[in-house]
Amino acid sequence: MMLLNDKFGRSFKTLRVSLLSTCNLGCVYCTMGTEEEVMIDKKAQTPASVFLNHIAQLHAQLDLHTIRFTGGEPLLYRELPQVIEGVKALGIPDIKLTTNAFLLDRIAPALKMAGLQYVNVSLDAMDEESFFRMTRRKQLSRTLKGIETALACGLDVKINAVMMKGKNDDQVLPLLEYAFERNIPIRFLEVMTMGHLFGHGQEYLFSQEDILNIIATKYSFTKQYRKSSSTANYWQTAEGKVFGIIANDTEPFCQDCNRLRLDAEGNIYGCLSNNHAIALSGNESEQDLKDKLQQAMSQKQELHFTGSEMSMMHIGG
Ligand code: SAM
């Protein structure tokens, strides 16, 4: 096993696997809403055996503690239960998924059975009009039903909400109240200048401070201690309810980021701010794999998230 630590003591402990680069929603921060991005059934999918081979090799070097499946939309990946079962068999302790939950209602029990424990649901609005403005799709009710089913199955659910100035900044309190009523942990995210937003995403930035100012109109709260490698800052309201903010832009967490990313073409990346793909063949010698991981580690930013032209639809959020 390899002890890969950089000068900040960072190592790769979490692997985020983007299973495919297509999605059934067209979220405005992630996509341009083109046909190509939603050509769901027309693209061949990478077999689960190929992902599992890469994951096993990486795990042997890194002793991973978390795998998070993402995309595109991972629920569109046909072998999702099989890939989860395979990761469980490798003995990786935490198996997580990031999804828009549109299809979760029907598949949540099978995923739980396969070994999935944690689900982050992306939910950026609580009314149909704002939901459409953010996702270019109707039927918010499908996402909400997916959340209810996942909770009923015993999955550990969190909500992630990307906030964009002028698009859904009126949704902070409705989202917070939905989460508080159900005791679902919620994190608000500052928008990142990735993909089509690279170079001009700042115009949509609704900052941590903006979000706190809105919450302060209804709740009083105190800041909580931030755990190392946590992506979010957390606050607790006087009523004991907790919410988080992932301040990707104004307070990035680069210095204790422990993430490695694998895309559906078998490329690894050490940082979202660097879109240079490091290709894995799946047949690397131990030394070759170590060299590639070292290269991925050297991609990590020291302090500032700068974003890149890489689409989140491709590399996963
Ligand atoms: N389709 C799944 C979903 O919606 O959760 C997984 C993939 S999607 C790329 C995952 C998440 O990435 C989004 O919901 C959002 O939280 C995050 N994301 C994508 N683009 C982003 C951006 N420009 N800024 C901030 N977060 C972004």
Side-chain angles (χ1 to χ4, degrees):
M1 192 174 302
M2 178 185 185
L3 260 184
L4 185 74
N5 280 308
D6 74 353
K7 65 179 174 187
F8 294 112
R10 295 179 292 195
S11 54
F12 291 130
K13 286 291 166 194
T14 297
L15 179 67
R16 297 174 77 98
V17 181
S18 176
L19 293 169
L20 74 180
S21 300
T22 47
C23 192
N24 46 356
L25 301 189
C27 299
V28 288
Y29 44 79
C30 194
T31 79
M32 308 263 280
T34 61
E35 278 289 295
E36 166 77 0
E37 290 161 329
V38 290
M39 279 173 36
I40 291 157
D41 285 322
K42 303 209 172 115
K43 282 191 185 166
Q45 299 190 345
T46 307
S49 56
V50 172
F51 282 117
L52 288 169
N53 180 46
H54 287 313
I55 295 169
Q57 280 191 308
L58 292 167
H59 182 48
Q61 290 302 321
L62 299 169
D63 191 22
L64 296 164
H65 67 56
T66 303
I67 296 278
R68 177 176 296 283
F69 293 110
T70 176
E73 173 47 47
L75 298 187
L76 297 171
Y77 181 68
R78 288 183 282 273
E79 291 182 279
L80 185 56
Q82 291 86 332
V83 87
I84 290 172
E85 272 166 16
V87 165
K88 190 174 176 199
L90 289 173
I92 299 175
D94 291 348
I95 308 179
K96 306 184 179 184
L97 178 79
T98 296
T99 173
N100 59 40
F102 227 54
L103 302 172
L104 195 54
D105 177 44
R106 64 178 192 226
I107 199 183
L111 299 183
K112 170 78 177 163
M113 285 265 291
L116 182 69
Q117 300 148 300
Y118 303 93
V119 181
N120 279 3
V121 175
S122 304
L123 174 66
D124 311 318
M126 285 312 301
D127 72 63
E128 199 65 66
E129 209 177 298
S130 314
F131 185 78
F132 183 78
R133 204 178 312 126
M134 293 303 285
T135 66
R136 300 187 176 98
R137 297 285 182 279
K138 294 182 180 159
Q139 288 189 296
L140 161 68
S141 58
R142 289 182 64 167
T143 293
L144 300 182
K145 198 162 175 218
I147 292 175
E148 302 298 339
T149 307
L151 289 169
C153 290
L155 287 161
D156 193 309
V157 177
K158 282 196 185 113
I159 292 173
N160 281 346
V162 178
M163 302 318 296
M164 289 176 84
K165 190 173 14 180
K167 297 255 181 213
N168 67 338
D169 50 18
D170 61 343
Q171 295 295 301
V172 174
L173 289 175
L175 285 161
L176 198 66
E177 268 140 36
Y178 171 81
F180 281 179
E181 274 165 24
R182 287 160 183 76
N183 279 322
I184 305 176
I186 182 164
R187 283 101 50 92
F188 297 97
L189 279 72
E190 289 179 355
V191 72
M192 292 186 271
T193 53
M194 293 291 296
H196 71 292
L197 294 182
F198 185 56
H200 60 97
Q202 287 287 334
E203 66 198 80
Y204 296 113
L205 178 66
F206 198 67
S207 69
Q208 171 166 275
E209 196 186 340
D210 297 330
I211 295 166
L212 288 175
N213 285 340
I214 291 201
I215 298 176
T217 61
K218 180 138 187 211
Y219 296 95
S220 54
F221 46 78
T222 47
K223 192 161 183 186
Q224 296 197 307
Y225 173 72
R226 180 181 178 275
K227 275 191 261 159
S228 134
S229 89
S230 164
T231 51
N233 296 314
Y234 286 96
W235 288 264
Q236 187 170 34
T237 68
E239 298 79 17
K241 303 282 188 187
V242 173
F243 62 92
I245 301 181
I246 304 183
N248 294 304
D249 190 273
T250 60
E251 237 176 76
F253 51 93
C254 304
Q255 281 219 18
D256 47 18
C257 172
N258 66 6
R259 297 165 176 195
L260 177 69
R261 291 165 191 272
L262 172 68
D263 71 14
E265 276 96 55
N267 301 304
I268 54 170
Y269 305 81
C271 179
L272 283 177
S273 295
N274 187 322
N275 59 2
H276 177 75
I278 303 166
L280 297 183
S281 67
N283 298 314
E284 279 82 7
S285 67
E286 208 178 313
Q287 190 55 50
D288 277 355
L289 189 56
K290 282 181 181 171
D291 291 347
K292 289 181 180 182
L293 285 168
Q294 199 69 58
Q295 199 185 335
M297 182 58 83
S298 69
Q299 291 181 334
K300 282 201 178 296
Q301 296 284 105
E302 298 203 349
L303 280 176
H304 298 295
F305 174 82
T306 55
S308 74
E309 279 158 355
M310 183 158 51
S311 154
M312 291 292 260
M313 183 89 138
H314 176 78
I315 192 58

